[in-house]
C-alpha cells in the first residue's frame, strides 16, 4: 500500500493528523477545531474534511451533530490497519502505547509464524524456495547496511507467509511487517545484535526438506534470537524491561490468550 504522505496535500494532511492523534498531541475525546486546523495546515476545508473521512474509516475520529469532530478512544481504533501500524512506528516517538503495541506484535508473531512455517514446509514450491533463497542471500550481502538488512528480513518473512499458499495468512504480512520493520531498524542499527543469517537459514533448510516439525523448531529459535537482540538493545540503552517482555513472546511464551460523512459535511 502506498503511504498517504506520497499522495499530495490530502495525504500529508492525513499523516499529520494521524500522528498527532497517535502521539497523544490530540488526545482521545478531544473535539477538533477545524477552522484552526485549516489555517495551521494551510489546506482547504474540503481537503481537511476528506482527510478526516480517511481517519474515520480507520476508527480514529467521528463526527456528531452539536459536538463536532472528535477523537475516538484507542479501543475503537483499527490497530490492525496497515497505515495505523505504520504511523505509530514511524512517528519518531517511543510512547508507552507504542511499546505495548510492539510487545503485542511480538506475541502475534509467536502465534502465527511457527504455525505458518509448518504449512510452508508442506506446501512450498520451487518458486517459493527461490524467493526465500534470494531473501537469505540478500540478508548475507548487506555489509552492515541497516536499511538493506531490514528489507532483506522483510522479504524473507513475506516469502515465508506466501509459501503457506493460504490467502488469509499471506495477508498477515501487512500486520506483521510494520512491527517487524520497526524492530529491525532498532536491532540492525545496533552493534549488539546477533548475525540473523544462520537462524533464517535453519528455517529455510527445514522448509526445503519438507520437515514441518524442524521448521517450527527453527522458527521458534529465530523468534527467541529476536527477543535476545531486543533484550541486549534495552540493556545497552539502559531502558526498562520492555525488550524483555518482547523477548518472552519471541521465545515462544504466549500468554492465555450516526453517519460519519454527514457529520463531517454539517460542520
Amino acid at each position: 500500500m502506498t503511504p498517504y504522505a506520497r499522495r499530495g496535500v490530502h495525504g500529508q494532511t492525513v499523516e499529520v493528523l494521524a500522528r498527532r492523534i497517535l502521539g497523544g498531541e490530540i488526545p482521545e475525546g478531544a473535539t477538533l477545531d477545524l477552522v484552526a486546523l485549516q489555517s495551521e495546515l494551510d489546506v482547504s476545508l474540503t481537503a481537511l474534511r476528506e482527510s478526516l473521512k480517511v481517519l474515520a474509516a480507520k476508527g480514529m475520529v467521528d463526527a456528531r451533530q452539536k459536538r463536532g469532530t472528535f477523537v475516538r478512544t484507542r479501543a475503537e481504533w483499527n490497530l490492525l490497519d496497515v497505515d495505523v501500524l505504520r504511523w505509530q512506528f514511524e512517528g519518531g516517538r517511543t510512547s508507552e502505547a507504542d511499546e505495548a503495541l510492539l510487545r503485542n506484535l511480538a506475541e502475534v508473531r509467536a502465534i502465527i509464524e511457527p504455525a505458518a512455517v509448518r504449512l510452508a514446509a508442506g506446501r512450498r514450491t520451487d518458486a517459493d524456495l527461490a524467493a526465500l533463497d534470494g531473501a537469505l542471500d540478500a540478508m548475507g550481502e548487506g555489509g552492515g547496511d541497516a536499511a538493506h538488512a531490514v528489507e532483506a528480513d522483510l522479504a524473507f518473512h513475506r516469502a515465508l507467509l506466501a509459501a503457506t499458499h493460504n490467502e488469509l495468512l499471506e495477508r498477515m504480512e501487512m500486520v506483521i511487517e510494520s512491527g517487524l520493520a520497526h524492530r529491525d531498524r532498532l536491532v540492525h542499527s545496533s552493534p549488539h545484535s546477533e548475525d540473523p543469517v544462520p537462524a533464517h537459514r535453519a528455517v529455510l533448510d527445514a522448509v526445503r526438506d519438507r520437515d514441518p516439525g524442524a521448521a517450527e523448531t527453527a522458527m521458534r529459535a529465530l523468534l527467541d534470537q529476536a527477543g535476545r537482540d531486543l533484550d541486549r538493545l534495552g540493556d545497552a540503552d539502559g531502558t526498562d524491561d520492555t525488550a524483555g517482555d518482547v523477548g518472552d513472546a519471541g521465545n515462544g511464551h504466549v500468554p492465555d490468550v450516526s453517519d460519519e460523512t454527514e457529520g463531517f459535511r454539517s460542520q
Side-chain angles (χ1 to χ4, degrees), residues 64-119:
R64 291 286 184 270
Q65 292 286 349
K66 298 184 180 180
R67 179 175 180 180
T69 302
F70 61 95
V71 178
R72 302 176 74 180
T73 63
R74 183 181 177 88
E76 298 174 292
W77 301 349
N78 183 2
L79 294 178
L80 293 181
D81 180 271
V82 63
D83 284 311
V84 175
L85 287 168
R86 178 177 57 81
W87 288 329
Q88 291 187 88
F89 287 128
E90 293 182 357
R93 308 170 316 280
T94 307
S95 71
E96 184 176 335
D98 296 334
E99 293 169 352
L101 184 60
L102 189 58
R103 290 195 299 270
N104 290 341
L105 280 167
E107 291 174 355
V108 168
R109 290 188 67 197
I111 293 168
I112 292 174
E113 291 196 280
V117 79
R118 290 185 66 93
L119 290 177

Side-chain angles (χ1 to χ4, degrees), residues 211-265:
D211 189 334
E216 179 180 354
T217 298
M219 177 55 74
R220 291 192 183 279
L222 188 158
L223 293 172
D224 186 45
Q225 176 176 321
R228 291 195 304 272
D229 285 338
L230 280 172
D231 286 340
R232 279 190 291 271
L233 187 63
D235 291 342
D237 291 343
T239 57
D240 60 21
D241 61 354
T242 298
D245 292 338
V246 177
D248 288 342
N251 64 27
H253 174 72
V254 181
D256 294 333
V257 287
S258 138
D259 184 273
E260 295 166 339
T261 301
E262 289 303 317
F264 291 131
R265 287 176 179 169

Side-chain angles (χ1 to χ4, degrees), residues 10-23 25-26 32 34 37 40-41 43 47-53 55 60-61 71 87:
H10 168 258
Q12 292 172 18
T13 304
V14 172
E15 295 264 336
V16 169
L17 293 174
R19 288 191 169 125
R20 288 185 184 182
I21 292 170
L22 289 164
E25 184 179 343
I26 305 177
L32 304 181
L34 300 193
L37 283 172
E40 177 191 353
L41 301 177
V43 296
L48 180 58
R49 285 173 172 161
E50 289 300 314
S51 298
L52 290 169
K53 287 179 186 178
L55 300 182
M60 296 176 66
V61 301
V71 178
W87 288 329

